[in-house]
Amino acid sequence: MFFVIVMMIVAFVVSTSCSNDALKTENEVKNVDYSSLKLNTQKKISLISARFDDETKLRNMVSRYVGVRKIDLSRKKVSDNSLTFPISLPIHYSSKERDFMLSFYNELANCYDDKVLELISKKRLEINSKNFSDDFKTEVDFLFYAFEGVVKEVFKVRKEIGGTSLQSKSVGSGLKECLEKNGASGKDIGRNLVLGAATGAVAGGYAGATAGTFTVPILGTAVGAVGGAVFGAATGSVSAVVGGLFWPAIDCIRYLTKYEEKYLEDEFFQEEMPFIDLTSEKKQIFNDFLNTPVTSNVKIIEL
């Protein structure tokens, strides 16, 4: 009898706890102010142009953030034979929502830069045609909004880098033309968006769940795991795609031999993505991911 009573008490406590967790999650979702978040995200995106409004700034950023090293052939062999990259997704996603995001991230990581906007439009129609919750649709719609804003800004910078100053030089470097050409045939934008959004969402969700808040410059402060994940994905995608601007630039500035590879310096992660505490192993995955040849498809899996 005593055992039965104990079990009834345990069941009641667990049931109450689960109900409270569900209520907490629901409240967190409702408390995400998407209107303000969209406005603030656009402000953050608009700051990208000022950082790349002339060729000198771009070259300085490349020299600061991107290094070139000899390829570790033993590691390179493993990397070439395994083009599968693990990421984590926010814990509040259902299994159906996780499947959708993994599918989207896989397509995005293998999408040429000039097709990214088309892919986002297609996935927006897809999610609206399926039986997802309104909360998930709203969250993903915001993510698409942030991605579209970032992509358009990258295209703008690539076309306008250097402005008339580049054209007025007697001996031009051709950097602007090189970036435009690489942009049409590369996959840097999509791959940076995937890495930035995924790592940012998880870091933000964890901070929101443990610390209660997740603060991002310009974007503001989010409350709870869901708000943190949303904020983290937004700022992660904006920050990471900055790398998508100068990552291909080094190919335009200097010739890399088949025995060399690019890599993002620690300063990039510390200064551009300070809210994400990446281990050296995860930084290596980041670099391996970005170094994957355009001709090779990658597969995104969940950890």
Side-chain angles (χ1 to χ4, degrees):
M1 184 65 180
F2 176 76
F3 176 77
V4 173
I5 293 174
V6 170
M7 290 304 296
M8 289 176 66
I9 293 174
V10 170
F12 173 76
V13 171
V14 171
S15 174
T16 303
S17 176
C18 290
S19 297
N20 289 339
D21 287 344
L23 181 59
K24 179 181 177 183
T25 301
E26 182 180 353
N27 287 338
E28 287 175 358
V29 171
K30 302 303 181 186
N31 286 335
V32 179
D33 185 354
Y34 284 102
S35 297
S36 296
L37 188 54
K38 283 187 176 182
L39 180 62
N40 293 342
T41 299
Q42 190 53 52
K43 289 180 182 178
K44 188 174 181 68
I45 291 172
S46 66
L47 296 176
I48 295 176
S49 293
R51 305 181 64 187
F52 295 94
D53 59 1
D54 65 57
E55 185 178 332
T56 300
K57 288 183 180 179
L58 177 60
R59 288 179 179 272
N60 288 340
M61 194 168 285
V62 169
S63 63
R64 179 170 179 75
Y65 285 155
V66 184
V68 175
R69 62 191 174 194
K70 289 184 178 179
I71 295 175
D72 181 344
L73 295 179
S74 61
R75 184 184 57 76
K76 184 67 175 176
K77 182 178 180 181
V78 174
S79 176
D80 285 345
N81 290 336
S82 179
L83 298 176
T84 298
F85 294 90
I87 65 170
S88 298
L89 293 172
I91 59 175
H92 67 275
Y93 286 163
S94 68
S95 58
K96 181 180 177 181
E97 292 165 353
R98 306 181 98 77
D99 289 343
F100 176 86
M101 293 306 298
L102 277 178
S103 173
F104 170 57
Y105 282 150
N106 268 286
E107 290 187 62
L108 185 58
N110 292 295
C111 185
Y112 286 99
D113 288 356
D114 60 348
K115 299 295 183 183
V116 170
L117 290 176
E118 182 180 320
L119 171 63
I120 294 173
S121 295
K122 184 189 80 171
K123 300 304 283 189
R124 179 178 278 115
L125 292 174
E126 181 181 333
I127 193 172
N128 287 329
S129 67
K130 293 187 176 180
N131 188 29
F132 287 105
S133 70
D134 290 340
D135 290 331
F136 181 68
K137 288 181 179 180
T138 301
E139 182 178 339
V140 175
D141 179 70
F142 164 71
L143 188 61
F144 288 164
Y145 170 86
F147 282 6
E148 286 173 330
V150 169
V151 174
K152 291 175 182 177
E153 192 71 7
V154 170
F155 288 157
K156 175 184 175 183
V157 172
R158 283 180 177 176
K159 291 180 179 178
E160 297 180 358
I161 185 74
T164 55
S165 62
L166 185 61
Q167 300 170 10
S168 64
K169 293 178 182 179
S170 56
V171 180
S173 65
L175 181 59
K176 175 182 176 182
E177 292 75 12
C178 181
L179 285 174
E180 286 189 53
K181 180 180 178 181
N182 284 357
S185 60
K187 297 179 180 178
D188 296 300
I189 293 178
R191 291 179 179 180
N192 276 278
L193 286 176
V194 170
L195 290 173
T199 53
V202 172
Y206 177 78
T210 55
T213 61
F214 180 66
T215 302
V216 180
I218 299 178
L219 293 186
T221 300
V223 178
V226 177
V230 172
F231 270 49
T235 194
S237 63
V238 177
S239 300
V241 90
V242 169
L245 277 166
F246 57 70
W247 183 263
I250 200 166
D251 296 323
C252 300
I253 293 172
R254 60 159 292 184
Y255 173 76
L256 269 66
T257 70
K258 63 180 180 179
Y259 302 108
E260 296 177 316
E261 68 176 0
K262 298 176 287 185
Y263 68 96
L264 293 173
E265 300 274 10
D266 286 344
E267 285 76 11
F268 170 76
F269 299 102
Q270 294 166 1
E271 297 174 12
E272 299 296 330
M273 307 178 76
F275 57 91
I276 302 177
D277 185 19
L278 294 177
T279 63
S280 58
E281 290 79 10
K282 289 184 178 179
K283 289 177 183 177
Q284 187 58 62
I285 291 176
F286 214 110
N287 284 308
D288 285 342
F289 190 55
L290 296 181
N291 273 313
T292 302
V294 173
T295 53
S296 299
N297 279 346
V298 298
K299 182 180 181 180
I300 310 296
I301 61 172
E302 187 175 6
L303 279 172

